[in-house]
PDB file of all heavy atoms in Angstrom:
ATOM      1  N   GLY B 700     -17.159   1.716   9.594  1.00 96.00           N
ATOM      2  CA  GLY B 700     -17.240   3.050  10.317  1.00 96.00           C
ATOM      3  C   GLY B 700     -18.610   3.639  10.144  1.00 96.00           C
ATOM      4  O   GLY B 700     -19.488   3.206   9.375  1.00 96.00           O
ATOM      5  N   LEU B 701     -18.714   4.710  10.878  1.00 96.00           N
ATOM      6  CA  LEU B 701     -19.960   5.520  10.839  1.00 96.00           C
ATOM      7  C   LEU B 701     -19.633   6.912  11.193  1.00 96.00           C
ATOM      8  O   LEU B 701     -18.692   7.267  11.878  1.00 96.00           O
ATOM      9  CB  LEU B 701     -20.871   5.139  12.019  1.00 96.00           C
ATOM     10  CG  LEU B 701     -21.762   3.788  11.909  1.00 96.00           C
ATOM     11  CD1 LEU B 701     -22.480   3.646  13.298  1.00 96.00           C
ATOM     12  CD2 LEU B 701     -22.731   3.913  10.771  1.00 96.00           C
ATOM     13  N   GLN B 702     -20.386   7.837  10.634  1.00 96.00           N
ATOM     14  CA  GLN B 702     -20.254   9.260  10.993  1.00 96.00           C
ATOM     15  C   GLN B 702     -21.661   9.710  11.372  1.00 96.00           C
ATOM     16  O   GLN B 702     -22.598   9.345  10.694  1.00 96.00           O
ATOM     17  CB  GLN B 702     -19.665  10.101   9.905  1.00 96.00           C
ATOM     18  CG  GLN B 702     -19.387  11.548  10.390  1.00 96.00           C
ATOM     19  CD  GLN B 702     -18.844  12.438   9.272  1.00 96.00           C
ATOM     20  OE1 GLN B 702     -19.070  12.338   8.127  1.00 96.00           O
ATOM     21  NE2 GLN B 702     -18.098  13.462   9.647  1.00 96.00           N
ATOM     22  N   PHE B 703     -21.716  10.452  12.445  1.00 94.00           N
ATOM     23  CA  PHE B 703     -22.979  10.937  12.920  1.00 94.00           C
ATOM     24  C   PHE B 703     -23.262  12.380  12.593  1.00 94.00           C
ATOM     25  O   PHE B 703     -22.411  13.065  12.060  1.00 94.00           O
ATOM     26  CB  PHE B 703     -23.024  10.778  14.439  1.00 94.00           C
ATOM     27  CG  PHE B 703     -22.770   9.455  14.989  1.00 94.00           C
ATOM     28  CD1 PHE B 703     -21.485   8.964  15.385  1.00 94.00           C
ATOM     29  CD2 PHE B 703     -23.790   8.403  14.894  1.00 94.00           C
ATOM     30  CE1 PHE B 703     -21.222   7.656  15.758  1.00 94.00           C
ATOM     31  CE2 PHE B 703     -23.522   7.187  15.417  1.00 94.00           C
ATOM     32  CZ  PHE B 703     -22.196   6.682  15.781  1.00 94.00           C
ATOM     33  N   PRO B 704     -24.680  12.761  12.758  1.00 93.00           N
ATOM     34  CA  PRO B 704     -25.034  14.039  12.318  1.00 93.00           C
ATOM     35  C   PRO B 704     -24.103  15.185  12.828  1.00 93.00           C
ATOM     36  O   PRO B 704     -23.882  16.195  12.328  1.00 93.00           O
ATOM     37  CB  PRO B 704     -26.312  14.193  12.732  1.00 93.00           C
ATOM     38  CG  PRO B 704     -26.862  12.774  12.670  1.00 93.00           C
ATOM     39  CD  PRO B 704     -25.796  11.979  13.254  1.00 93.00           C
ATOM     40  N   ASN B 705     -23.556  14.949  14.009  1.00 90.00           N
ATOM     41  CA  ASN B 705     -22.822  15.970  14.639  1.00 90.00           C
ATOM     42  C   ASN B 705     -21.161  15.816  14.199  1.00 90.00           C
ATOM     43  O   ASN B 705     -20.345  16.512  14.658  1.00 90.00           O
ATOM     44  CB  ASN B 705     -22.700  15.933  16.205  1.00 90.00           C
ATOM     45  CG  ASN B 705     -22.092  14.545  16.738  1.00 90.00           C
ATOM     46  OD1 ASN B 705     -21.749  13.725  16.056  1.00 90.00           O
ATOM     47  ND2 ASN B 705     -21.992  14.501  18.062  1.00 90.00           N
ATOM     48  N   TYR B 706     -21.010  14.951  13.093  1.00 92.00           N
ATOM     49  CA  TYR B 706     -19.825  14.719  12.487  1.00 92.00           C
ATOM     50  C   TYR B 706     -18.816  13.982  13.307  1.00 92.00           C
ATOM     51  O   TYR B 706     -17.642  13.631  12.839  1.00 92.00           O
ATOM     52  CB  TYR B 706     -19.111  16.014  12.013  1.00 92.00           C
ATOM     53  CG  TYR B 706     -19.900  16.821  11.138  1.00 92.00           C
ATOM     54  CD1 TYR B 706     -20.002  18.200  11.118  1.00 92.00           C
ATOM     55  CD2 TYR B 706     -20.477  16.314  10.009  1.00 92.00           C
ATOM     56  CE1 TYR B 706     -20.766  19.001  10.401  1.00 92.00           C
ATOM     57  CE2 TYR B 706     -21.325  16.840   9.085  1.00 92.00           C
ATOM     58  CZ  TYR B 706     -21.549  18.255   9.291  1.00 92.00           C
ATOM     59  OH  TYR B 706     -22.234  19.067   8.429  1.00 92.00           O
ATOM     60  N   SER B 707     -19.179  13.504  14.490  1.00 94.00           N
ATOM     61  CA  SER B 707     -18.384  12.558  15.243  1.00 94.00           C
ATOM     62  C   SER B 707     -18.340  11.182  14.467  1.00 94.00           C
ATOM     63  O   SER B 707     -19.195  11.020  13.613  1.00 94.00           O
ATOM     64  CB  SER B 707     -18.726  12.370  16.727  1.00 94.00           C
ATOM     65  OG  SER B 707     -20.100  11.795  16.730  1.00 94.00           O
ATOM     66  N   SER B 708     -17.470  10.278  14.919  1.00 96.00           N
ATOM     67  CA  SER B 708     -17.269   9.062  14.093  1.00 96.00           C
ATOM     68  C   SER B 708     -16.879   7.988  14.885  1.00 96.00           C
ATOM     69  O   SER B 708     -16.362   8.082  16.044  1.00 96.00           O
ATOM     70  CB  SER B 708     -16.229   9.345  12.957  1.00 96.00           C
ATOM     71  OG  SER B 708     -15.948   8.164  12.302  1.00 96.00           O
ATOM     72  N   GLU B 709     -17.206   6.772  14.424  1.00 97.00           N
ATOM     73  CA  GLU B 709     -16.740   5.425  15.067  1.00 97.00           C
ATOM     74  C   GLU B 709     -16.024   4.642  13.987  1.00 97.00           C
ATOM     75  O   GLU B 709     -16.308   4.661  12.764  1.00 97.00           O
ATOM     76  CB  GLU B 709     -17.904   4.684  15.487  1.00 97.00           C
ATOM     77  CG  GLU B 709     -18.588   5.236  16.792  1.00 97.00           C
ATOM     78  CD  GLU B 709     -19.758   4.373  17.337  1.00 97.00           C
ATOM     79  OE1 GLU B 709     -20.091   3.353  16.516  1.00 97.00           O
ATOM     80  OE2 GLU B 709     -20.256   4.634  18.315  1.00 97.00           O
ATOM     81  N   LEU B 710     -15.091   3.850  14.536  1.00 98.00           N
ATOM     82  CA  LEU B 710     -14.313   2.936  13.753  1.00 98.00           C
ATOM     83  C   LEU B 710     -14.612   1.603  14.446  1.00 98.00           C
ATOM     84  O   LEU B 710     -14.353   1.420  15.620  1.00 98.00           O
ATOM     85  CB  LEU B 710     -12.882   3.117  13.577  1.00 98.00           C
ATOM     86  CG  LEU B 710     -11.929   1.990  13.163  1.00 98.00           C
ATOM     87  CD1 LEU B 710     -12.208   1.662  11.728  1.00 98.00           C
ATOM     88  CD2 LEU B 710     -10.470   2.379  13.326  1.00 98.00           C
ATOM     89  N   ASN B 711     -15.123   0.585  13.628  1.00 98.00           N
ATOM     90  CA  ASN B 711     -15.533  -0.814  14.189  1.00 98.00           C
ATOM     91  C   ASN B 711     -14.587  -1.659  13.548  1.00 98.00           C
ATOM     92  O   ASN B 711     -14.496  -1.600  12.247  1.00 98.00           O
ATOM     93  CB  ASN B 711     -16.961  -1.127  13.934  1.00 98.00           C
ATOM     94  CG  ASN B 711     -17.818  -0.126  14.663  1.00 98.00           C
ATOM     95  OD1 ASN B 711     -17.958  -0.090  15.845  1.00 98.00           O
ATOM     96  ND2 ASN B 711     -18.583   0.690  13.917  1.00 98.00           N
ATOM     97  N   VAL B 712     -14.033  -2.602  14.246  1.00 98.00           N
ATOM     98  CA  VAL B 712     -13.159  -3.681  13.758  1.00 98.00           C
ATOM     99  C   VAL B 712     -13.656  -4.968  14.229  1.00 98.00           C
ATOM    100  O   VAL B 712     -13.743  -5.151  15.526  1.00 98.00           O
ATOM    101  CB  VAL B 712     -11.799  -3.572  14.004  1.00 98.00           C
ATOM    102  CG1 VAL B 712     -10.827  -4.652  13.123  1.00 98.00           C
ATOM    103  CG2 VAL B 712     -11.232  -2.085  13.727  1.00 98.00           C
ATOM    104  N   ASN B 713     -14.090  -5.905  13.384  1.00 97.00           N
ATOM    105  CA  ASN B 713     -14.715  -7.199  13.763  1.00 97.00           C
ATOM    106  C   ASN B 713     -13.585  -8.325  13.659  1.00 97.00           C
ATOM    107  O   ASN B 713     -12.655  -7.985  12.915  1.00 97.00           O
ATOM    108  CB  ASN B 713     -15.772  -7.607  12.874  1.00 97.00           C
ATOM    109  CG  ASN B 713     -16.982  -6.716  13.097  1.00 97.00           C
ATOM    110  OD1 ASN B 713     -17.314  -6.350  14.131  1.00 97.00           O
ATOM    111  ND2 ASN B 713     -17.823  -6.321  11.997  1.00 97.00           N
ATOM    112  N   ALA B 714     -13.784  -9.375  14.254  1.00 98.00           N
ATOM    113  CA  ALA B 714     -12.908 -10.518  14.133  1.00 98.00           C
ATOM    114  C   ALA B 714     -11.510 -10.063  14.193  1.00 98.00           C
ATOM    115  O   ALA B 714     -10.677 -10.338  13.308  1.00 98.00           O
ATOM    116  CB  ALA B 714     -13.176 -11.253  12.752  1.00 98.00           C
ATOM    117  N   LEU B 715     -11.025  -9.484  15.260  1.00 98.00           N
ATOM    118  CA  LEU B 715      -9.772  -8.857  15.456  1.00 98.00           C
ATOM    119  C   LEU B 715      -8.688  -9.991  15.202  1.00 98.00           C
ATOM    120  O   LEU B 715      -8.771 -11.159  15.676  1.00 98.00           O
ATOM    121  CB  LEU B 715      -9.632  -8.377  16.840  1.00 98.00           C
ATOM    122  CG  LEU B 715     -10.331  -7.042  17.089  1.00 98.00           C
ATOM    123  CD1 LEU B 715     -10.414  -6.672  18.624  1.00 98.00           C
ATOM    124  CD2 LEU B 715      -9.607  -5.837  16.265  1.00 98.00           C
TER     125      LEU B 715
END
Side-chain angles (χ1 to χ4, degrees):
Chain B
L701 282 172
Q702 187 179 31
F703 300 99
N705 66 355
Y706 302 136
S707 65
S708 177
E709 286 183 354
L710 165 65
N711 299 291
V712 187
N713 293 321
L715 284 167

